[in-house]
Amino acid sequence: MTDENSLIRVLLNLDARFDERDDAAMDLESYNGLNVISALAKIASDPREDPGLVESAAESLGGVMARTGFRDAQIIEGLTPSARVMVISILNARS
């Protein structure tokens, strides 16, 4: 069984394949905690990351925030423009 720390390691590993990192980003939506939010936000706020990975991280981040009720304006403001729109859209749709 994969735990959130293993998924975070894969997500943040720049040497991992794209599909592995993307799967980790999507799987992290099932977990809670600041470490999960921080890892997803790190990817979703990096304009140098692959846009597909940023999208997956933003979608999971929005899902975690919507499910847990966690909101942090500073995190949301730091996201790439497309990730910010996605997270806000998810939060609005699920509130």
Side-chain angles (χ1 to χ4, degrees):
M1 182 170 159
T2 304
D3 69 357
E4 69 216 63
N5 292 323
S6 297
L7 291 170
I8 289 169
R9 279 193 295 279
V10 172
L11 176 64
L12 299 179
N13 181 354
L14 299 178
D15 293 325
R17 294 187 329 251
F18 171 82
D19 63 312
E20 295 171 327
R21 295 179 76 205
D22 193 59
D23 286 347
M26 291 186 291
D27 291 348
L28 281 167
E29 185 173 351
S30 300
Y31 295 89
N32 300 328
L34 291 178
N35 57 337
V36 171
I37 290 169
S38 177
L40 291 168
K42 179 177 175 118
I43 299 302
S45 64
D46 188 346
R48 298 165 299 180
E49 280 290 357
D50 182 282
L53 186 59
V54 169
E55 181 178 326
S56 293
E59 186 173 350
S60 290
L61 178 62
V64 172
M65 288 180 154
R67 186 182 67 253
T68 64
F70 177 86
R71 305 287 189 276
D72 186 311
Q74 188 173 7
I75 288 175
I76 294 171
E77 197 57 38
L79 301 175
T80 66
S82 62
R84 188 177 320 114
V85 167
M86 178 170 286
V87 167
I88 291 170
S89 295
I90 291 168
L91 292 175
N92 288 340
R94 297 187 191 176
S95 60

